[in-house]
Amino acid sequence: MKSLLEAQNVTRIFDSGLLSKGHTVAVDGVSLMINEDKPSITTIAGESGSGKTTLARLLLGMIQPTSGSILYRGQSLTAMDRRARKKFRREVQAIFQDPYEAYNPIYKVDQTLTTPVRKFGLARSREEAQQRITDSLRMAGLRPEETLGRYPHQLSGGQRQRIMVARALLLNPRVILADEPVSMVDASLRATILESLVKVKRELGISLIYITHDLTTAYQASQNIYILYRGCVAEMGSVEKVIKNPKHPYTRLLVSSVPLPDPDIRWGREGEIEAKASAPSAPVKEGGGCKFSNRCPYVMAECRQAPPPLFLTDDDRAVACYLYKAGAPVSGRDMAKSLARD
Ligand code: SF4
């Protein structure tokens, strides 16, 4: 199996506080892998502050890891020459939460599409450029005649987000990283935009990394899911296993509050754990044990001594929790590789 995009045991620490010289571990030893030969949709999920957007920025090369590496086609982003970097920039595209921010309001939306064609030399003539743009708009579910020639404010939020999808597609990417792409779009349009992304994977063979706090859409769209809690992977595995039968107390807390469109799943069932929903007043010290221990109803003495490693609970799922220590410990990297292969 060839890895296309990979995070290898990545940690990112930010300095915080001008006077106090504190630091925040935003991402803590996370590994993730996308298979070059098998297009997939992988979700990174967690509540606000879980580190998912920092991980997205690391994967895009927008910030550097404090330790660990991000590799594209086996090459570290920090070791790439200009040419390799340009190829990475073209092949790994991003779609962000707020489409309006990506537009210059004084220009027609056409500029958003013509600029990358020009910058990356994607067409030999005006006609070819125009054809490429209209094909991408159609693939993103838009009618070119209703889109081109308009200003951003003349389009709906859903149309603006679809233009961002079209812009990403123009560059023939291998991976699209979509950070909360539908959270600012009307609920009625979310499903159709997500469908477009699933179609992109199915018909164009493009892999997606879908960053979200919304487990319903994650369940609908993706094959694998990584649940982050305060920068660490709490649970990772097939979306069927993790969402239908969550194991980590934090995942169970997240899932218990989400109604999913599956009659076989009984949400909030009797006996469901009652984790403390609010953040702890005194956060667990870094390296001092399980980061969820202050909220966990199952906390044990060992939970406070050392952070739990990932334990295998199924072939295609691992959980960072001592409740599952009967399973074999597995490294995040090996588990990421195994999920990418399946
Ligand atoms: Fe709870 Fe302990 Fe598991 Fe952490 S390791 S989630 S504190 S049971």
Side-chain angles (χ1 to χ4, degrees), residues 248-250 290 292-293 296 298-300 303 308 320-323:
H248 193 286
Y250 174 61
C290 172
F292 194 60
S293 57
C296 181
Y298 300 116
V299 62
M300 304 168 279
C303 306
C321 172
Y322 289 119
L323 292 173

XYZ file of all heavy atoms in Angstrom, residues 248-250 290 292-293 296 298-300 303 308 320-323, ligand 1:
137
model
N -15.127 4.426 23.633
C -14.498 5.386 24.544
C -15.592 6.212 25.232
O -16.542 6.642 24.580
C -13.562 6.308 23.749
C -12.648 7.109 24.614
N -13.076 8.194 25.348
C -11.319 6.974 24.890
C -12.054 8.697 26.020
N -10.974 7.973 25.746
N -15.464 6.429 26.549
C -16.493 7.211 27.234
C -16.755 8.569 26.585
O -17.898 9.038 26.570
C -15.919 7.371 28.649
C -15.082 6.143 28.835
C -14.471 5.866 27.486
N -15.727 9.194 26.025
C -15.945 10.487 25.363
C -16.751 10.310 24.075
O -17.673 11.074 23.789
C -14.590 11.159 25.069
C -14.724 12.420 24.257
C -15.444 13.502 24.735
C -14.139 12.519 22.994
C -15.575 14.664 23.988
C -14.262 13.674 22.240
C -14.985 14.743 22.744
O -15.124 15.877 21.994
N -4.876 10.290 31.728
C -5.880 10.422 30.666
C -6.490 11.827 30.717
O -6.926 12.286 31.775
C -6.968 9.373 30.881
S -8.361 9.593 29.753
N -9.211 12.805 29.709
C -10.657 12.794 29.927
C -11.002 12.442 31.377
O -12.169 12.401 31.750
C -11.303 11.774 28.965
C -12.790 11.897 28.840
C -13.382 13.066 28.387
C -13.621 10.840 29.184
C -14.761 13.187 28.268
C -14.999 10.945 29.078
C -15.571 12.128 28.617
N -9.978 12.221 32.192
C -10.241 11.658 33.533
C -11.126 12.556 34.397
O -11.901 12.048 35.209
C -8.925 11.333 34.250
O -8.127 12.477 34.348
N -14.702 11.739 33.293
C -15.069 10.352 33.010
C -15.714 9.668 34.224
O -15.141 9.660 35.313
C -13.820 9.573 32.589
S -14.192 7.865 32.195
N -15.934 6.585 34.685
C -15.290 5.293 34.956
C -13.854 5.454 35.444
O -13.099 4.480 35.462
C -15.265 4.452 33.675
C -16.631 4.170 33.121
C -17.009 4.664 31.880
C -17.550 3.422 33.858
C -18.271 4.416 31.375
C -18.813 3.179 33.357
C -19.175 3.670 32.115
O -20.414 3.430 31.633
N -13.465 6.673 35.781
C -12.048 6.922 36.094
C -11.536 5.972 37.188
O -12.235 5.678 38.162
C -11.845 8.423 36.464
C -12.624 8.811 37.696
C -10.369 8.751 36.608
N -10.312 5.458 36.963
C -9.671 4.529 37.904
C -8.313 5.124 38.286
O -7.863 6.079 37.644
C -9.440 3.163 37.220
C -10.714 2.546 36.659
S -10.363 1.137 35.584
C -9.930 1.922 34.038
N -5.782 5.606 35.533
C -6.092 6.643 34.536
C -5.364 7.949 34.851
O -5.098 8.752 33.964
C -7.584 6.929 34.499
S -8.598 5.481 34.239
N -3.445 6.802 28.553
C -3.682 5.447 28.031
C -3.214 5.326 26.583
O -3.438 6.242 25.790
C -5.209 5.299 28.107
C -5.728 6.702 28.113
C -4.688 7.562 28.737
N -8.307 4.578 23.038
C -7.301 4.993 24.027
C -7.968 5.088 25.393
O -8.342 6.174 25.836
C -6.695 6.332 23.617
N -8.136 3.953 26.035
C -8.834 3.928 27.321
C -8.490 2.628 28.045
O -8.509 1.552 27.441
C -10.340 4.020 27.068
S -11.318 3.759 28.545
N -8.191 2.748 29.358
C -7.804 1.559 30.139
C -8.949 0.561 30.317
O -8.712 -0.576 30.704
C -7.267 1.990 31.502
C -5.907 2.649 31.408
C -5.722 3.970 31.818
C -4.814 1.953 30.900
C -4.480 4.583 31.722
C -3.567 2.560 30.803
C -3.405 3.873 31.217
O -2.173 4.461 31.108
N -10.163 0.974 30.026
C -11.272 0.014 30.121
C -11.088 -1.129 29.122
O -11.677 -2.188 29.263
C -12.612 0.704 29.809
C -13.128 1.737 30.812
C -14.363 2.431 30.275
C -13.429 1.067 32.152
Fe -12.069 7.135 31.595
Fe -9.840 6.005 32.451
Fe -10.770 5.446 30.030
Fe -9.733 7.822 30.542
S -8.654 5.870 30.556
S -11.588 7.430 29.427
S -10.399 8.170 32.641
S -11.739 4.970 31.991
